[in-house]
Amino acid sequence: MIEIILNGKTQQTSASTVSELADSLGLTNKRFAVEINQQVIPKAQHQQTQLNNLDKVEIVQAIGGG
Amino acid sequence: MIEIILNGKTQQTSASTVSELADSLGLTNKRFAVEINQQVIPKAQHQQTQLNNLDKVEIVQAIGGG
Amino acid sequence: MIEIILNGKTQQTSASTVSELADSLGLTNKRFAVEINQQVIPKAQHQQTQLNNLDKVEIVQAIGGG
Amino acid sequence: MIEIILNGKTQQTSASTVSELADSLGLTNKRFAVEINQQVIPKAQHQQTQLNNLDKVEIVQAIGGG
Amino acid sequence: MNDTVKDVFRIADKTYNSRLLVGTGKYKNFDETKTAIEASGAEIVTVAIRRSNIGQSANEPNLLDYISPDKYTILPNTAGCYTADEAVRTCELARELLDGHKLVKLEVLGDQKTLYPDMEATLIACEQLVQRGFDVMVYCSDDPIAAKKLEDMGACAIMPLAGLIGSGLGICNPHNIRLILEQAQVPVLVDAGVGTASDATIAMELGCEAVLMNSAIAHAQNPVLMASAMRKAIEAGREAFLAGRMPKKAYASASSPIDGRFF
Amino acid sequence: MNDTVKDVFRIADKTYNSRLLVGTGKYKNFDETKTAIEASGAEIVTVAIRRSNIGQSANEPNLLDYISPDKYTILPNTAGCYTADEAVRTCELARELLDGHKLVKLEVLGDQKTLYPDMEATLIACEQLVQRGFDVMVYCSDDPIAAKKLEDMGACAIMPLAGLIGSGLGICNPHNIRLILEQAQVPVLVDAGVGTASDATIAMELGCEAVLMNSAIAHAQNPVLMASAMRKAIEAGREAFLAGRMPKKAYASASSPIDGRFF
Amino acid sequence: MNDTVKDVFRIADKTYNSRLLVGTGKYKNFDETKTAIEASGAEIVTVAIRRSNIGQSANEPNLLDYISPDKYTILPNTAGCYTADEAVRTCELARELLDGHKLVKLEVLGDQKTLYPDMEATLIACEQLVQRGFDVMVYCSDDPIAAKKLEDMGACAIMPLAGLIGSGLGICNPHNIRLILEQAQVPVLVDAGVGTASDATIAMELGCEAVLMNSAIAHAQNPVLMASAMRKAIEAGREAFLAGRMPKKAYASASSPIDGRFF
Amino acid sequence: MNDTVKDVFRIADKTYNSRLLVGTGKYKNFDETKTAIEASGAEIVTVAIRRSNIGQSANEPNLLDYISPDKYTILPNTAGCYTADEAVRTCELARELLDGHKLVKLEVLGDQKTLYPDMEATLIACEQLVQRGFDVMVYCSDDPIAAKKLEDMGACAIMPLAGLIGSGLGICNPHNIRLILEQAQVPVLVDAGVGTASDATIAMELGCEAVLMNSAIAHAQNPVLMASAMRKAIEAGREAFLAGRMPKKAYASASSPIDGRFF
């Protein structure tokens, strides 16, 4: 278990990669984008990208806006 | 005593001329104009103009307006 | 031959009725309306309506306008 | 004699100071300001400020403008 | 639009899908007239009544061969009339010309420089025409009191000018048009003054039932394309009126939510 | 219209038939969003980028399920960003989200009350985004000098505000829009401030290539009908621009000839 | 200004220095009326004619004790009249009240909601009043044809509304005011609709001889200060009209020379 | 007016009675310049800085002989500067020329056709000038965000353009001027674009502290009379602003009471 700041909220996770985190959040096959510590993580690297303690993770999507 | 319609209101008066009517209303030396039955009565004729029963008398003055 | 004022111009004509006048002007079967001395003459009466000397005849049609 | 660029035009002058230059131009007691090589030269220093060969001298005044 | 399927325009007991009425003047030729009017989608087309060109060429083409009364509602107008009598005579001739068709556009003009309506004479002519059985659409000033009088005497449409005929100035006084609209029980059309598509849209957004125009189309550099523009502009304005615009605000209002920002 | 068959709108090397770009904010729900956007005929649709609602309901519907990137060109915007850095980060995430799609709408705001662009920051962000390979459409003030700088640094579209975002005030300063149009070599779109159909028509008549709006549709009482109105309004304005309007005149010009009067 | 020393305003053969005419309605009390009118510099002051308040308090103050006919030209108006007859009767009473003074302001109203003039009745009343020897200043619509008729029948001043009485909307249709001005041989004044100082200035810049107002002063938060503002606004507008404004330009024109730059 | 006795205009710790600032360009000669400026009542007069006409005629008259720094506050401007550096150099020379006088009008222009400010460069120059101890009045766009930045860096007056310099178009975007006014803690003046008296009155009614103009006076047909008009227009607008205008209404409101009618 590590502690990450996910979308602004501190929380524990057993996921060790971005893919595992996404899966644990029910985002499998959804359209989203991930940033860790202000660096975009391309989809192709989600599997191999390790999560580290205290990482700031942002998971975003498109919403209505003008 | 006769009955006249003065400024739209029926009333009794003992005045027999326009001048007497004006005096009775406290209008002596005031600036006003008189119409009887839709005919203007010039000031010069106030003294000699007789009031008749059921005359429609209008006494008007200048007021604020735009 | 009589003299009529046709659309503002004095001229001679051998036509004795409105129909004959229209025919002589090549207006047969065209869409037009006729007024004599400021009275409209309905189509149905063209044949029987006599022309008189000095009649003011107006023959009008629809043109472009707004 | 040195050569200076005065208000954009190259010219010879025998003046060795700003004051002498101003005098030679008939500007004595006039209201003007002087810049040499993009540095403003305060009035108080006009007498002691030496002119050097190829100095870019600007002499300016107020004119009509909005 | 499903929403507008039933949004028909009714004048003198007849219904129309188009809310654009057009004139037939100022075109290069009848072909251009016809093509532009087709592009405009107009169903009511106004024409002037003038002396036939007698003797010159009896076989010259006639406007109504191009704009057929079978296809269009022809709206004869009294353009050029400066007295009530002239206007009434013109309408009588028009009715005869069009086989008893009784819909007319009344205009009684005040002077040649402005072509502004002579409302005093217009009121007289309107009253006579109604008595004679005409359905009278009245070109008038934007005077709400005169508009009410026209309606009260039986005009079937009130048609205030947006601006001077042929000026292209657009709606010079929307306040007055609005006053007329608020009180009217018969259709209010803007007639005259439209110069470009947005002018027509604005007239419809104010709540006018329709717009009548001529120069804006005929005097555009490309009349046929402008006719198409006007057709859409009228529809756009009508739909915007029916849709109900957003309120105006002095300050901003974000289109995107503030919540969920990650930065 | 034959005349307009080839009148396509080109942005960043792609062509579009519609010149109406729409936002996706402020609708009641995604169904209304979808229906209104279909009625608008828009091909380019702007969206905001925000944190996913994690944990709440993983199965809640997603905007892009309703407005599919397969059907529409999705234009992610940087709404809500108040610094150049935030805007650049947002664009990077958007590009990732949309599988490398590089068209973005840049907006860097100055304050919350006006949502007026911070042009100093906008210039900085635009330069960075161009360098990073984005096609940048820029929401900007109507300052013609800043517009030129944006174009010079490689913006693919200049999008001055007509009025404050969500204000519905229409084109507050047509003079400046005209100055920007005269000099621009890239498309100029009016973005923000449109309140009703005629506002959009006017923007197009000025010569804008297209218009981007959100509140005017979403906050109308009937958004779907207003979407249709806007579609027509944009087309009307474009056609009127291409057709070339009649000149304005101070006096009248008769639509009917004077010759041939019989009265 | 030397230039304006002789720029007097002439109405019915009397000359005035002030081109601001004011009403006396809507003030808190007669003291405020008097102070505001003094601050306005007006020389012509309009009053309404109404029934005396008989019996209530014979000693209550009278408007003309505050606004003396010895100091001001009193202009009785027919406010509140909805028929020509009422207006004529009111003028006759006013003439008697003011010892034969024959200058009157005619207004015949169309309805209570708009107070827009009934021009048909106004024309009738004007004709009668001229025949009875009155000098008639006529409140009228901005219809240039009606304005010409009023002048032709002998009105001594044409006074089109800028906007509805008491609306403060300013000059709603400057085009029409201009048409009236171009043709008029008698003074044209804007009457009604002015809301603030710039409205009055604009009226004068258009070429009006003077402006009549009431609410704009009386309903300002500080009527006395607004009266002073209006005095200056009228003078500013008149001087600007006489001075001849610069032409408008689409592009810039430097106020400072380009020559002589050292940078 | 008693009410306005204390209504002084304060800029950079000095107070003025006049709220009209004038330029000195475009006049026929120095005599006209002097007479017009006297008629305007201006106390602050702006001048450009240019190379002396060396050698031509050392005795030719100098502007400051006509507009004496002893009588007027001379406001040197940076007209003609297209970079921040040029503007700063010009201000330094101006300060030297005027014996340490540190009040300047900063303008950094974007291009010759529009003379629109380059706001990016203006912000840079303003910051430098404030650091060098100048009191900086800044000619700027009507961008409220940039205006706030200028104020935050220490500008002593914000001077948005009403319209392009020398255009005479009046206040092209009153909404933006209002946004700037609402937030500003330093005086806001309209600078550039005024064409006639009412434009100046409107600027003051919006709440501007003062107005700066040149062409509107110098290019009037009679500059001296227009200068007088502007003086009064500014005072009228200021007083109207302080007096508080009546609210606008969509319908009429009678100035004369309904009670007491005898007809």
Side-chain angles (χ1 to χ4, degrees):
Chain A
M1 293 291 277
I2 55 169
E3 189 173 282
I4 60 173
I5 299 98
L6 175 60
N7 283 3
K9 285 182 188 156
T10 302
Q11 59 182 89
Q12 307 285 323
T13 182
S14 58
S16 61
T17 64
V18 171
S19 292
E20 287 174 23
L21 178 64
D23 291 347
S24 76
L25 295 168
L27 292 173
T28 322
N29 294 326
K30 304 252 171 182
R31 190 182 281 276
F32 62 94
V34 177
E35 191 194 67
I36 299 183
N37 301 329
Q38 304 205 10
Q39 280 300 116
V40 171
I41 311 299
K43 282 179 198 59
Q45 297 170 21
H46 284 192
Q47 272 198 311
Q48 69 237 48
T49 302
Q50 300 290 321
L51 291 176
N52 295 310
N53 206 35
L54 300 182
D55 270 353
K56 287 181 185 161
V57 182
E58 296 286 349
I59 302 182
V60 304
Q61 65 183 68
I63 65 152
Chain B
M1 291 293 272
I2 57 170
E3 191 172 281
I4 60 173
I5 299 99
L6 176 59
N7 283 3
K9 285 183 188 156
T10 301
Q11 58 183 87
Q12 308 286 322
T13 182
S14 57
S16 60
T17 65
V18 171
S19 290
E20 286 175 24
L21 178 64
D23 290 349
S24 76
L25 296 167
L27 292 172
T28 322
N29 294 324
K30 303 252 171 183
R31 190 182 282 274
F32 62 95
V34 178
E35 191 193 67
I36 298 182
N37 302 328
Q38 302 206 12
Q39 279 302 115
V40 170
I41 311 298
K43 282 179 197 64
Q45 298 171 18
H46 284 192
Q47 271 197 310
Q48 68 238 49
T49 301
Q50 298 291 320
L51 292 175
N52 294 310
N53 204 33
L54 300 181
D55 270 355
K56 287 181 184 162
V57 181
E58 296 287 348
I59 301 183
V60 304
Q61 66 183 68
I63 65 153
Chain C
M1 293 290 273
I2 56 169
E3 190 172 282
I4 59 173
I5 298 99
L6 176 59
N7 283 5
K9 285 183 187 156
T10 302
Q11 57 182 86
Q12 307 286 321
T13 183
S14 58
S16 61
T17 64
V18 170
S19 290
E20 287 175 24
L21 177 65
D23 290 348
S24 75
L25 295 168
L27 292 172
T28 322
N29 296 324
K30 304 254 170 180
R31 190 183 280 275
F32 62 95
V34 178
E35 188 194 69
I36 299 182
N37 301 329
Q38 303 205 12
Q39 281 299 115
V40 171
I41 311 298
K43 282 180 197 60
Q45 299 171 18
H46 284 193
Q47 272 197 309
Q48 68 237 48
T49 301
Q50 299 290 320
L51 290 175
N52 295 311
N53 205 34
L54 300 183
D55 269 355
K56 287 182 185 162
V57 181
E58 296 287 349
I59 301 181
V60 304
Q61 66 183 69
I63 65 155
Chain D
M1 294 290 273
I2 58 170
E3 191 172 282
I4 61 174
I5 298 97
L6 176 60
N7 284 2
K9 286 182 187 156
T10 302
Q11 59 183 87
Q12 308 286 322
T13 182
S14 58
S16 61
T17 65
V18 170
S19 290
E20 287 174 22
L21 177 65
D23 290 348
S24 76
L25 295 168
L27 290 173
T28 323
N29 294 325
K30 303 252 171 183
R31 188 183 282 274
F32 62 96
V34 177
E35 190 195 66
I36 297 181
N37 302 329
Q38 302 206 11
Q39 280 301 116
V40 171
I41 311 299
K43 281 177 197 66
Q45 297 170 21
H46 284 193
Q47 271 197 312
Q48 68 237 49
T49 301
Q50 298 291 320
L51 290 174
N52 295 311
N53 206 33
L54 298 182
D55 270 355
K56 287 182 185 162
V57 182
E58 296 288 349
I59 302 184
V60 305
Q61 66 182 68
I63 66 153
Chain E
M1 283 301 311
N2 266 346
D3 297 74
T4 57
V5 158
K6 288 170 188 155
D7 178 44
V8 293
F9 167 52
R10 176 181 298 272
I11 198 89
D13 290 324
K14 197 169 160 191
T15 58
Y16 301 91
N17 292 310
S18 168
R19 292 171 178 276
L20 173 56
L21 289 72
V22 298
T24 51
K26 299 183 170 181
Y27 285 98
K28 275 205 299 285
N29 52 49
F30 286 151
D31 277 324
E32 191 185 67
T33 310
K34 178 186 164 81
T35 316
I37 289 175
E38 279 169 2
S40 78
E43 296 168 299
I44 302 178
V45 177
T46 186
V47 302
I49 305 298
R50 291 286 183 277
R51 285 171 170 164
S52 298
N53 256 341
I54 284 169
Q56 295 192 0
S57 64
N59 292 317
E60 72 180 5
N62 185 293
L63 173 62
L64 297 185
D65 299 337
Y66 288 78
I67 305 297
S68 165
D70 298 335
K71 182 170 172 194
Y72 295 100
T73 294
I74 303 299
L75 177 65
N77 63 54
T78 64
C81 294
Y82 287 86
T83 67
D85 275 354
E86 290 168 5
V88 172
R89 262 177 79 200
T90 300
C91 289
E92 288 287 5
L93 276 166
R95 181 160 57 176
E96 161 62 16
L97 183 75
L98 294 166
D99 308 316
H101 173 75
K102 62 187 186 178
L103 186 69
V104 292
K105 171 182 163 186
L106 170 65
E107 46 182 310
V108 187
L109 305 174
D111 67 31
Q112 288 188 309
K113 182 179 168 192
T114 65
L115 301 180
Y116 201 90
D118 180 332
M119 289 309 297
E120 202 184 15
T122 298
L123 285 163
I124 293 167
C126 182
E127 189 151 44
Q128 291 183 19
L129 289 168
V130 170
Q131 283 166 359
R132 289 172 184 232
F134 287 94
D135 291 327
V136 192
M137 303 177 73
V138 192
Y139 165 68
C140 56
S141 74
D142 60 5
D143 172 341
I145 303 303
K148 191 72 173 59
K149 291 186 184 188
L150 289 167
E151 179 179 342
D152 288 346
M153 61 177 59
C156 73
I158 305 300
M159 307 203 291
L161 78 177
L164 297 185
I165 292 174
S167 69
L169 290 173
I171 301 193
C172 294
N173 191 347
H175 293 96
N176 274 11
I177 301 294
R178 204 174 277 123
L179 291 175
I180 291 173
L181 283 163
E182 285 177 5
Q183 75 190 359
Q185 304 295 319
V186 296
V188 175
L189 291 77
V190 153
D191 178 5
V194 164
T196 185
S198 55
D199 296 338
T201 307
I202 290 169
M204 296 304 294
E205 288 172 340
L206 283 170
C208 291
E209 285 285 324
V211 175
L212 195 161
M213 67 181 72
N214 189 337
S215 307
I217 295 173
H219 275 188
Q221 288 174 44
N222 181 339
V224 178
L225 187 53
M226 187 58 91
S228 169
M230 287 298 181
R231 174 186 201 148
K232 291 171 179 171
I234 294 286
E235 291 175 13
R238 179 64 182 176
E239 290 182 4
F241 172 73
L242 294 174
R245 64 159 290 158
M246 63 175 286
K248 292 187 183 184
K249 296 173 189 168
Y251 301 109
S253 162
S255 296
S256 306
I258 292 171
D259 284 355
R261 288 185 298 175
F262 52 89
F263 37 76
Chain F
M1 285 302 311
N2 266 345
D3 297 74
T4 57
V5 157
K6 287 168 189 158
D7 178 44
V8 293
F9 167 53
R10 178 181 298 273
I11 199 86
D13 290 325
K14 197 169 161 192
T15 58
Y16 301 90
N17 294 310
S18 167
R19 292 171 178 276
L20 173 55
L21 290 73
V22 297
T24 50
K26 299 183 170 181
Y27 285 99
K28 274 204 299 286
N29 51 51
F30 285 151
D31 277 322
E32 190 184 69
T33 310
K34 177 186 167 79
T35 315
I37 289 175
E38 281 171 1
S40 79
E43 296 169 300
I44 304 178
V45 177
T46 187
V47 303
I49 306 298
R50 290 287 182 279
R51 285 171 171 165
S52 298
N53 256 342
I54 285 169
Q56 296 192 358
S57 63
N59 292 317
E60 72 180 5
N62 185 294
L63 173 62
L64 297 185
D65 299 336
Y66 288 77
I67 307 297
S68 164
D70 298 336
K71 182 170 174 194
Y72 295 99
T73 295
I74 303 298
L75 176 65
N77 63 54
T78 64
C81 293
Y82 288 85
T83 68
D85 276 355
E86 289 167 3
V88 172
R89 262 177 81 200
T90 301
C91 289
E92 289 287 5
L93 275 166
R95 180 159 58 177
E96 162 62 14
L97 182 74
L98 294 166
D99 307 316
H101 172 75
K102 63 187 183 176
L103 186 69
V104 292
K105 171 183 164 186
L106 169 64
E107 46 183 309
V108 187
L109 305 174
D111 66 33
Q112 287 187 309
K113 181 178 166 194
T114 65
L115 302 179
Y116 202 89
D118 180 332
M119 289 309 298
E120 201 183 17
T122 298
L123 285 162
I124 292 166
C126 181
E127 189 150 45
Q128 290 183 22
L129 288 168
V130 169
Q131 284 166 0
R132 290 172 183 230
F134 287 94
D135 291 326
V136 191
M137 303 177 74
V138 192
Y139 165 68
C140 56
S141 74
D142 61 5
D143 172 341
I145 303 303
K148 190 73 174 62
K149 292 187 183 186
L150 289 167
E151 179 178 342
D152 288 347
M153 61 177 57
C156 74
I158 305 300
M159 306 203 292
L161 78 177
L164 297 185
I165 292 173
S167 69
L169 290 174
I171 301 193
C172 294
N173 191 347
H175 293 98
N176 274 12
I177 301 294
R178 204 175 276 124
L179 291 175
I180 291 172
L181 282 164
E182 285 177 5
Q183 75 188 359
Q185 305 295 317
V186 296
V188 175
L189 290 78
V190 154
D191 179 3
V194 164
T196 185
S198 54
D199 296 338
T201 307
I202 290 169
M204 296 305 293
E205 287 173 341
L206 282 170
C208 290
E209 286 284 324
V211 175
L212 195 163
M213 67 182 71
N214 189 337
S215 307
I217 295 174
H219 275 187
Q221 288 173 44
N222 181 338
V224 178
L225 186 53
M226 187 57 92
S228 170
M230 287 299 182
R231 174 186 202 150
K232 292 172 179 171
I234 293 286
E235 290 175 14
R238 180 62 181 177
E239 290 182 6
F241 172 72
L242 294 173
R245 62 160 289 158
M246 63 174 288
K248 291 187 185 184
K249 295 172 189 169
Y251 301 110
S253 164
S255 295
S256 305
I258 291 171
D259 285 355
R261 288 185 299 175
F262 52 90
F263 37 76
Chain G
M1 286 302 310
N2 266 346
D3 297 76
T4 56
V5 157
K6 288 169 190 159
D7 178 43
V8 292
F9 168 52
R10 177 181 298 270
I11 198 87
D13 290 326
K14 197 168 161 191
T15 58
Y16 301 90
N17 292 309
S18 167
R19 291 170 178 276
L20 174 55
L21 290 73
V22 297
T24 50
K26 299 183 170 180
Y27 285 99
K28 275 204 300 284
N29 52 49
F30 286 152
D31 276 323
E32 191 185 67
T33 310
K34 178 186 165 81
T35 315
I37 290 176
E38 280 171 0
S40 78
E43 296 168 300
I44 303 178
V45 177
T46 187
V47 302
I49 305 299
R50 290 288 181 278
R51 285 171 171 164
S52 298
N53 254 341
I54 283 170
Q56 297 191 359
S57 63
N59 291 317
E60 72 178 5
N62 185 294
L63 174 62
L64 297 185
D65 299 337
Y66 287 77
I67 306 297
S68 165
D70 298 336
K71 183 170 173 192
Y72 295 99
T73 294
I74 302 300
L75 176 65
N77 63 55
T78 64
C81 294
Y82 286 85
T83 67
D85 276 354
E86 289 167 5
V88 172
R89 259 176 85 199
T90 301
C91 289
E92 288 287 4
L93 276 166
R95 180 159 59 177
E96 161 63 15
L97 183 75
L98 294 166
D99 308 316
H101 173 74
K102 63 187 184 177
L103 186 69
V104 292
K105 171 182 164 186
L106 170 64
E107 46 182 309
V108 187
L109 305 175
D111 66 31
Q112 287 187 310
K113 182 180 167 192
T114 64
L115 301 180
Y116 202 89
D118 179 332
M119 289 309 297
E120 201 184 16
T122 299
L123 285 163
I124 292 167
C126 182
E127 190 149 44
Q128 290 183 21
L129 289 169
V130 170
Q131 282 167 0
R132 291 172 183 231
F134 287 94
D135 292 327
V136 190
M137 303 177 73
V138 191
Y139 165 67
C140 54
S141 74
D142 60 4
D143 172 340
I145 304 303
K148 190 72 173 62
K149 292 187 184 188
L150 288 168
E151 178 178 344
D152 288 346
M153 61 176 58
C156 74
I158 306 299
M159 307 203 292
L161 78 177
L164 297 185
I165 293 174
S167 69
L169 290 173
I171 300 192
C172 294
N173 191 346
H175 292 98
N176 274 11
I177 301 294
R178 204 175 275 122
L179 291 174
I180 292 173
L181 281 163
E182 284 177 5
Q183 75 190 356
Q185 305 295 318
V186 295
V188 174
L189 291 78
V190 153
D191 179 5
V194 164
T196 184
S198 53
D199 295 337
T201 307
I202 290 169
M204 297 305 293
E205 287 172 341
L206 283 170
C208 291
E209 285 284 324
V211 174
L212 194 162
M213 68 182 70
N214 188 338
S215 306
I217 295 174
H219 276 188
Q221 287 172 46
N222 181 338
V224 177
L225 186 52
M226 187 58 91
S228 169
M230 288 297 181
R231 173 187 202 147
K232 290 172 179 171
I234 292 285
E235 290 176 13
R238 178 66 182 175
E239 290 182 6
F241 171 72
L242 294 174
R245 65 159 288 158
M246 63 175 289
K248 291 186 183 183
K249 295 172 189 169
Y251 301 109
S253 164
S255 296
S256 305
I258 292 169
D259 285 355
R261 288 186 297 176
F262 53 89
F263 38 75
Chain H
M1 286 303 310
N2 265 347
D3 298 75
T4 56
V5 158
K6 286 169 191 158
D7 178 44
V8 293
F9 168 53
R10 177 181 299 270
I11 199 88
D13 290 326
K14 197 169 160 190
T15 59
Y16 301 90
N17 292 309
S18 168
R19 290 170 179 275
L20 173 56
L21 289 73
V22 297
T24 51
K26 299 184 170 181
Y27 285 98
K28 275 205 298 288
N29 51 49
F30 286 152
D31 277 323
E32 191 185 67
T33 309
K34 179 187 165 81
T35 315
I37 290 176
E38 281 171 358
S40 79
E43 295 169 300
I44 303 178
V45 178
T46 186
V47 303
I49 306 296
R50 290 289 182 277
R51 285 170 171 164
S52 299
N53 256 342
I54 284 168
Q56 296 191 358
S57 63
N59 291 318
E60 72 179 6
N62 185 294
L63 173 62
L64 297 185
D65 298 337
Y66 287 77
I67 306 297
S68 165
D70 297 337
K71 183 171 173 193
Y72 295 99
T73 294
I74 303 299
L75 176 66
N77 63 55
T78 64
C81 293
Y82 287 85
T83 67
D85 276 355
E86 289 167 6
V88 172
R89 262 176 80 199
T90 300
C91 289
E92 289 287 4
L93 275 166
R95 179 158 60 177
E96 161 63 15
L97 182 75
L98 294 167
D99 307 316
H101 173 75
K102 63 186 184 175
L103 185 70
V104 293
K105 171 182 164 185
L106 169 65
E107 47 183 308
V108 187
L109 304 175
D111 66 31
Q112 287 187 309
K113 182 179 167 192
T114 64
L115 302 178
Y116 201 90
D118 180 332
M119 289 309 297
E120 201 183 16
T122 298
L123 286 162
I124 293 168
C126 181
E127 188 150 45
Q128 290 184 20
L129 288 169
V130 170
Q131 283 165 0
R132 291 172 183 231
F134 287 94
D135 292 326
V136 191
M137 302 175 75
V138 191
Y139 165 69
C140 55
S141 74
D142 59 6
D143 173 340
I145 304 303
K148 190 69 173 62
K149 292 188 182 186
L150 288 168
E151 179 178 341
D152 288 347
M153 62 178 55
C156 74
I158 306 300
M159 305 202 293
L161 78 176
L164 297 185
I165 292 173
S167 68
L169 290 175
I171 300 192
C172 294
N173 191 347
H175 293 97
N176 274 12
I177 301 295
R178 203 175 277 124
L179 291 175
I180 292 173
L181 282 163
E182 284 177 4
Q183 75 189 358
Q185 304 295 318
V186 296
V188 175
L189 291 76
V190 153
D191 180 3
V194 164
T196 185
S198 53
D199 296 338
T201 306
I202 290 169
M204 297 304 293
E205 287 172 341
L206 283 170
C208 291
E209 286 283 324
V211 175
L212 195 161
M213 66 182 70
N214 189 338
S215 306
I217 295 175
H219 275 188
Q221 287 173 44
N222 181 339
V224 177
L225 185 53
M226 187 58 92
S228 169
M230 288 299 182
R231 174 186 202 150
K232 291 171 179 170
I234 294 287
E235 290 176 13
R238 179 64 182 174
E239 289 182 5
F241 171 73
L242 295 174
R245 65 159 288 157
M246 62 175 289
K248 291 187 185 183
K249 294 173 191 170
Y251 302 109
S253 164
S255 295
S256 305
I258 291 171
D259 284 353
R261 288 186 298 176
F262 53 90
F263 37 76

